[in-house]
Amino acid sequence: MTVTSPASPSAADRGRLDARPLVGRTGELQRLLQLIGLPNGRPGGLVVLSGDAGIGKSRIVSAAIGVAADRGWRVALGQCMDLGRSPLPYLPFVEAIGRLAATEEGQRLIERHPGVRPLVPRSSDGTAPQPDRGALFEAVHAIMTDLAAERPLLLVIEDVHWADWSSLELISFLLTRPFPTPVSIIVTYRSDDLHRRHPLRPVASGWIQLPAVERLELGPLPDEAIRELATGLRAGLSDAELARVIDRAEGNAFFTEELIAAGTVPGGVPDDLADLLILRLDQLEPDARQVVRSAAVAGRRVSHEVLQEVTDLEPAELDQALRNAVERFVLVSDRSDTYAFRHALLAEAVYQDLLPGERVRLHTAYVRALRDHPRATAADLARHARAAHDHETALSAGLRAADEAVTMGGPDEALHHYLAVLELIADPRVESAVDAVDITVRAATAAVSAGMPERAVTLVQDQLAHLPADHGPLVRARLLQSLAAAAALTDLNVDVLAVTTEALTLVPAEPDSELRCRVLRAHAQALADRSRHGESTGWAEEALAMAERLGLAEIASDVAALLAKLQDRLGNTEASEAALRQIVTDARARGDATELRALYHLGGIHYERGEVAEALEFYLRGAERAVETGRRYAPYGMDARIVAALSAYTLGRWDQVLQIVDTTGERPPMVADAAMAAIAMYVAAGRGESSGLRLQARANRAWGTDAVVSLYAGGASMDLYGQLGDLDQVWHQHQRLADELDAIWTDVQAKIRLGAIMIGIAADLTGCDEADRKRWTDRADWLMGQIELIVADAERRRPLGAESRAWQLRARAERFRLDARLGLSVDQAATVEAWRESVEGFERFPNVPELTRSRIRLAAALRQAGAIEESRQVAAQAQEVAEQLGARPMLAELAALEPPVADHPGASPLTPRELEVLALVAEGLSNREVGLKLFISTKTASVHVSNILTKLGAGTRTEAAALGRRLGLLG
């Protein structure tokens, strides 16, 4: 044990020096601090903290130690050690008293309480006195009491699963004997070490039944926390690597760190970690070790019945072996007569420890056991057959497993099995009559349904490149149709129209065929994507007629949805909407995926009309139906979720946005995950949270793959870098993003928005010397010219949408603001009029955040023009919304509109709510405590505090309280 004092700071330093962010444990840390009395300043809490090895107990204790030390508490830290069957008595306390004896204060305390002398390595006369147990316990309690006399003491005793019996008794005494001074205690142990006969088990059970003792159990970290931890340890991990880490670590921070540090993310357990895990097997009886090794071949879970078949043990012997493995926390059992490894990595480590021949023999035994088993899955049989080199069984079971996964709505699993079959077919040692082209097309379809159209494109392109010279035209046409269907859903550099044009030449027009029908449908979509709506309509009508003749209901429905969308593009919006509503009804009755496409298009119609709330409802319905039908990441299902989040953002429902993009418990494909991260970045930017840039690595993984994701990630990055004052980085982000949009899209109206944002950030940050004036005048001229060209090109095809028009007006208004910043002559009346038009634009297209921002800047223009009262009215409208959003940058901009407090003697610059917050801040309350008092979120309290500091011109909370008193704002 180490006791902190001015001369002995090491225990407190543990909390301060461990500077790693506490990932995923904020809630538990706040709970722990509350239990020991830190937030309310009333120490005296007693906490028993438990959790599996590596789950994060030491890390959260370090954080608590750091907080306690920062608050001026003493910290005493004692650690038990694994000394096998010969633990040292009172080890965690011997260290404490020995270190204390080296200080003058400690010597005085020991003289005052001599009963503690047996814990001092050597007394002053060189002898080691015999302990009097009662006197010793009383003396330790008294010393802790004295240490806490001047300031609170936090006593931490870690890893008591290794403690000797004497230490456990002393800890029990300290937990049951109240302290007259402020002493808080934290005791930690590994819950997975407490087998039935462990000496701590009954003791710990007694501790947590004490009225004064609180128990805190640390469970596994959520997937999102493991993702954050892994990416913090190693940048650039792929989506597949991250998913693998999350699966294998099972919420264990130590396992995550070891997997990343060893660089064995794709597979295999790091040697050091494997050795540590395998140690558990050394505690088992021989038969139990054999059973555990057999179970490891099954994977994470295995039934008692199958284990009986693959082991050579008699039933009674198997029962005893399993009991031993369960009692030692290697396996866990459930009520379904099934056993599982307590940790998946333990199963991997045991499997990794098997010899090659041993693995093959055990897998062969599993194939025999599962081949005719009524409850065996084709997926399990295929896996064991591959490992046993039973290729015939592996192929037949693999295909059956893939088809079962498709039927059950599991496209990810189906893709996995199809790829395994393709790998077997490609092996020259395997004789097979399975059609590789057919499996490739099925695999591509599964990849698209799983939200991985890029993977589908790669699969089909590879098969096309390896087609034999004597392939027939229909074989190539089938692959081209599959390629076109997948590539149309991506922004990859594939000329889809050229692909479908070639496919049409390979499939005869007569007789009618499903392949011809699919190619016609793909060709119509390719033309629609190039805005050749008239031509697209003709090909789509031909495809629809053929689908109806052939009775292909789902294809007919899909083509009908395309025709309905084309009606909208051609100006027949009412007819389009009516057709789409009927398609939704019919498709739902049949249970086909066209329902998702029709709901998505209906949302788009309302969105373009500026009916964003109505659009949001359709998008949410589409996303919900995608989940219900097992197509969570399929085309139009995931798209609906993305646009639902963007619609909620536009409506100012930022908390709802974060709910929509929350992927906790999911395994989203790379592009979907990047999209969720990009939209979360937008909320972070709106609220002024620079931590949002940490999401950039996730969002940027889709760069060059999906332009929509790049657009939103890039736009949010521009805002965030602007808030950091890095104008050069903002310009770099703008140019990089504009280049990508030019390379991928023919209709680049999104660049109107980007240009307006860029000019606005420049107006906030640029200098006004001659070089800045020249640079930003030229850049603004170029940006405005680009916007004019884009608008003119768009209006040749159809009227400019309400959203694009609003951003065009915003860009014009921002140019006035930039010119004023550069010191150029600006017509104030024209500036006010430009900002009025910007406000009106975002009223027609109800983008709540941008309407609010435009109102703030209109208020500034009105104030500059001398219309003070109208300026205040407009600003008041914006203030209310900005506070609801928690938009710190907007609130700071609003605060800058009013002159300093000194210009208004006797008047309060704060709102009534801000006065309430200021009063609580003056009492010393934290943002969290302010939120609890006023029934608002911590984030909202933080926004109010930031606004107060800005309005009062204060640099700290203490200074704000002092200014408030001086100005008479506090009662």
Side-chain angles (χ1 to χ4, degrees):
M1 181 185 291
T2 301
V3 180
T4 63
S5 68
S8 137
S10 57
D13 282 351
R14 167 176 156 179
R16 293 193 183 103
L17 294 177
D18 194 348
R20 296 169 298 166
L22 185 65
V23 177
R25 295 292 187 198
T26 304
E28 288 99 330
L29 175 60
Q30 292 302 319
R31 175 65 175 156
L32 178 59
L33 295 177
Q34 182 182 43
L35 291 175
I36 62 176
L38 268 168
N40 53 26
R42 293 190 295 275
L46 309 177
V47 182
V48 174
L49 176 68
S50 60
D52 286 1
I55 207 69
K57 299 182 298 299
S58 296
R59 183 70 191 87
I60 199 171
V61 166
S62 292
I65 288 172
V67 174
D70 288 342
R71 297 286 183 93
W73 287 30
R74 291 179 182 269
V75 178
L77 173 63
Q79 291 179 307
C80 304
M81 296 177 63
D82 183 8
L83 299 176
R85 297 186 179 181
S86 303
L88 297 177
Y90 301 114
L91 179 61
F93 298 95
V94 167
E95 182 185 355
I97 303 305
R99 188 177 184 88
L100 195 62
T103 67
E104 290 184 9
E105 178 188 21
Q107 291 172 7
R108 288 195 300 271
L109 288 172
I110 293 170
E111 289 295 327
R112 191 181 307 156
H113 307 290
V116 82
R117 284 187 179 279
L119 299 184
V120 181
R122 287 287 174 183
S123 63
S124 57
D125 61 3
T127 64
Q130 294 301 311
D132 178 332
R133 182 178 178 277
L136 175 65
F137 284 22
E138 291 286 353
V140 171
H141 187 278
I143 284 179
M144 297 300 159
T145 299
D146 289 353
L147 283 171
E150 295 181 1
R151 49 197 175 112
L153 170 68
L154 173 61
L155 171 61
V156 178
I157 307 173
E158 289 193 285
D159 297 330
V160 297
H161 51 278
W162 288 324
D164 62 285
W165 185 253
S166 298
S167 293
L168 293 178
E169 288 186 318
L170 179 48
I171 294 168
S172 296
F173 178 80
L174 295 176
L175 291 175
T176 54
R177 180 79 172 272
F179 289 90
T181 56
V183 177
S184 295
I185 301 177
I186 300 173
V187 179
T188 77
Y189 69 86
R190 289 183 184 173
S191 51
D192 54 341
D193 269 20
L194 264 62
H195 54 78
R196 285 187 179 180
R197 289 185 284 274
H198 196 291
L200 177 60
R201 188 164 184 149
V203 176
S205 178
W207 289 345
I208 61 179
Q209 292 178 38
L210 295 171
V213 175
E214 297 283 352
R215 183 184 182 188
L216 183 60
E217 172 81 20
L218 292 188
L221 287 166
D223 289 355
E224 196 56 39
I226 295 295
R227 181 189 301 277
E228 182 181 346
L229 179 60
T231 53
L233 291 167
R234 186 197 297 176
L237 288 171
S238 70
D239 187 66
E241 288 173 328
L242 277 172
R244 182 73 170 142
V245 170
I246 291 169
D247 280 335
R248 300 173 75 201
E250 295 184 298
N252 189 294
F254 174 70
F255 291 174
T256 304
E257 291 170 355
E258 288 295 305
L259 289 169
I260 296 296
T264 57
V265 172
V269 181
D271 290 342
D272 290 344
L273 180 56
D275 291 343
L276 185 65
L277 292 167
I278 291 292
L279 281 176
R280 288 190 173 274
L281 268 65
D282 294 341
Q283 306 170 15
L284 301 180
E285 298 165 358
D287 283 351
R289 282 199 294 272
Q290 178 189 341
V291 169
V292 168
R293 293 167 78 83
S294 299
V297 175
R300 180 72 193 275
R301 189 175 297 275
V302 63
S303 72
H304 186 106
E305 181 183 1
V306 171
L307 266 179
Q308 186 71 73
E309 290 193 44
V310 299
T311 62
D312 297 327
L313 299 175
E314 294 297 323
E317 293 172 332
L318 178 62
D319 290 343
Q320 178 58 34
L322 286 168
R323 178 176 296 278
N324 184 230
V326 169
E327 287 182 350
R328 290 290 175 173
F329 293 99
V330 174
L331 299 178
V332 293
S333 62
D334 58 29
R335 296 177 182 176
S336 62
D337 198 31
T338 301
Y339 295 89
F341 279 85
R342 185 174 177 87
H343 295 295
L345 276 178
L346 177 55
E348 288 189 47
V350 175
Y351 185 79
Q352 192 170 294
D353 192 54
L354 296 173
L355 296 172
E358 194 176 5
R359 290 179 196 164
V360 172
R361 286 193 299 275
L362 283 168
H363 280 296
T364 301
Y366 272 100
V367 170
R368 287 196 302 269
L370 298 177
R371 182 177 279 119
D372 299 316
H373 195 288
R375 293 190 302 277
T377 66
D380 269 348
L381 180 58
R383 179 173 65 83
H384 288 297
R386 287 196 301 273
H389 309 308
D390 182 347
H391 303 310
E392 182 180 352
T393 302
L395 279 171
S396 60
L399 286 173
R400 195 165 72 252
D403 293 342
E404 287 175 1
V406 170
T407 302
M408 296 173 64
D412 295 271
E413 293 78 8
L415 176 61
H416 168 78
H417 293 301
Y418 284 133
L419 292 177
V421 169
L422 285 171
E423 184 178 345
L424 281 171
I425 295 172
D427 188 337
R429 296 169 299 176
V430 178
E431 294 183 7
S432 169
V434 177
D435 182 358
V437 169
D438 177 63
I439 303 303
T440 299
V441 170
R442 289 156 73 177
T445 302
V448 169
S449 295
M452 294 182 281
E454 300 82 10
R455 184 71 184 276
V457 169
T458 302
L459 281 170
V460 179
Q461 286 178 327
D462 180 72
Q463 189 64 43
L464 280 166
H466 293 92
L467 275 179
D470 59 349
H471 70 79
L474 294 183
V475 172
R476 181 173 177 82
R478 190 177 180 198
L479 287 169
L480 290 174
Q481 182 274 321
S482 181
L483 174 62
L489 300 168
T490 74
D491 290 318
L492 297 174
N493 188 24
V494 176
D495 187 341
V496 178
L497 185 57
V499 171
T500 58
T501 300
E502 180 187 353
L504 281 172
T505 66
L506 299 174
V507 186
E510 295 180 350
D512 290 349
S513 66
E514 180 177 343
L515 179 57
R516 174 76 181 183
C517 190
R518 291 184 180 277
V519 171
L520 288 169
R521 186 253 171 272
H523 191 60
Q525 183 65 61
L527 289 165
D529 289 342
R530 297 200 177 201
S531 299
R532 291 162 61 173
H533 300 138
E535 294 176 73
S536 176
T537 299
W539 289 101
E541 288 173 344
E542 183 179 345
L544 177 61
M546 186 176 291
E548 290 174 342
R549 289 195 299 270
L550 292 171
L552 303 172
E554 187 163 351
I555 297 178
S557 179
D558 191 53
V559 176
L562 172 59
L563 283 166
K565 183 63 177 174
L566 288 168
Q567 287 267 33
D568 175 50
R569 290 299 181 194
L570 293 168
N572 303 322
T573 302
E574 289 185 8
S576 173
E577 185 174 358
L580 289 169
R581 288 180 182 276
Q582 186 60 50
I583 290 169
V584 168
T585 301
D586 295 343
R588 181 152 195 180
R590 287 192 307 273
D592 70 51
T594 311
E595 178 189 3
L596 303 183
R597 178 172 187 161
L599 286 169
Y600 181 80
H601 288 332
L602 282 167
I605 288 174
H606 286 281
Y607 192 92
E608 290 192 9
R609 288 202 299 236
E611 298 164 358
V612 183
E614 292 82 355
L616 175 59
E617 292 305 312
F618 279 108
Y619 291 135
L620 288 174
R621 278 179 59 193
E624 289 165 4
R625 286 294 295 153
V627 174
E628 292 168 0
T629 58
R631 300 183 179 103
R632 183 190 294 271
Y633 304 117
Y636 301 108
M638 191 65 217
D639 297 317
R641 182 176 174 183
I642 291 170
V643 187
L646 295 172
S647 299
Y649 179 92
T650 298
L651 291 169
R653 303 176 188 177
W654 288 0
D655 290 335
Q656 184 181 16
V657 174
L658 296 179
Q659 292 173 358
I660 294 171
V661 303
D662 183 6
T663 58
T664 302
E666 299 180 32
R667 294 288 189 274
M670 182 266 291
V671 173
D673 184 62
M676 300 297 99
I679 298 168
M681 282 179 69
Y682 246 91
V683 175
R687 287 177 166 164
E689 298 167 351
S690 59
S691 60
L693 286 171
R694 289 204 294 265
L695 295 167
Q696 195 171 25
R698 273 176 63 196
N700 281 351
R701 284 184 295 146
W703 196 273
T705 301
D706 191 292
V708 172
V709 178
S710 299
L711 172 65
Y712 286 99
S717 297
M718 289 170 63
D719 270 342
L720 289 165
Y721 282 118
Q723 291 164 23
L724 294 174
D726 192 343
L727 185 55
D728 288 340
Q729 183 61 243
V730 176
W731 177 252
H732 170 73
Q733 291 285 328
H734 175 273
Q735 293 301 92
R736 179 175 177 234
L737 185 52
D739 288 345
E740 179 175 356
L741 296 181
D742 282 337
I744 294 174
W745 285 350
T746 54
D747 184 1
V748 288
Q749 292 184 48
K751 288 177 64 177
I752 302 173
R753 175 175 168 276
L754 288 179
I757 291 172
M758 184 68 252
I759 296 170
I761 294 173
D764 290 333
L765 300 179
T766 185
C768 55
D769 60 24
E770 189 58 39
D772 288 326
R773 189 177 297 118
K774 176 71 168 61
R775 179 185 307 110
W776 282 103
T777 298
D778 289 347
R779 286 178 175 177
D781 287 344
W782 179 78
L783 288 168
M784 294 301 293
Q786 288 284 300
I787 290 171
E788 289 174 9
L789 289 172
I790 292 167
V791 170
D793 181 63
E795 289 186 327
R796 278 196 293 270
R797 295 189 295 272
R798 57 183 302 189
L800 196 66
E803 185 178 19
S804 293
R805 183 70 70 193
W807 281 108
Q808 179 194 18
L809 295 170
R810 171 72 161 273
R812 178 171 173 266
E814 293 287 17
R815 179 60 193 271
F816 278 104
R817 201 164 67 92
L818 175 61
D819 287 350
R821 170 87 176 195
L822 294 172
L824 302 174
S825 176
V826 174
D827 185 324
Q828 290 185 351
T831 302
V832 168
E833 183 58 29
W835 279 111
R836 288 192 196 281
E837 291 178 355
S838 178
V839 168
E840 290 168 2
F842 285 116
E843 286 174 338
R844 284 191 295 271
F845 183 84
N847 186 320
V848 172
E850 298 308 330
L851 172 60
T852 305
R853 200 185 312 271
S854 290
R855 280 178 173 158
I856 294 170
R857 291 172 185 175
L858 171 59
L862 287 165
R863 177 172 287 277
Q864 192 70 26
I868 304 299
E869 189 54 39
E870 185 183 358
S871 171
R872 286 179 175 160
Q873 291 173 1
V874 173
Q877 286 180 289
Q879 178 86 26
E880 181 180 0
V881 177
E883 288 181 353
Q884 291 171 356
L885 294 173
R888 288 190 186 92
M890 292 189 201
L891 290 169
E893 200 170 339
L894 279 162
L897 291 178
E898 289 289 338
V901 174
D903 292 358
H904 295 278
S908 170
L910 306 182
T911 66
R913 175 62 92 183
E914 288 165 353
L915 288 171
E916 289 181 287
V917 172
L918 177 61
L920 295 174
V921 167
E923 293 178 18
L925 272 65
S926 68
N927 289 344
R928 180 177 177 277
E929 292 163 339
V930 169
L932 291 173
K933 283 276 189 181
L934 299 179
F935 301 101
I936 59 177
S937 69
T938 302
K939 187 179 294 295
T940 300
S942 175
V943 170
H944 284 309
V945 171
S946 298
N947 204 19
I948 290 167
L949 295 178
T950 302
K951 287 184 176 183
L952 297 182
T956 65
R957 299 161 73 93
T958 302
E959 186 181 353
L963 281 169
R965 291 189 183 93
R966 191 160 63 244
L967 294 167
L969 302 178
L970 296 172

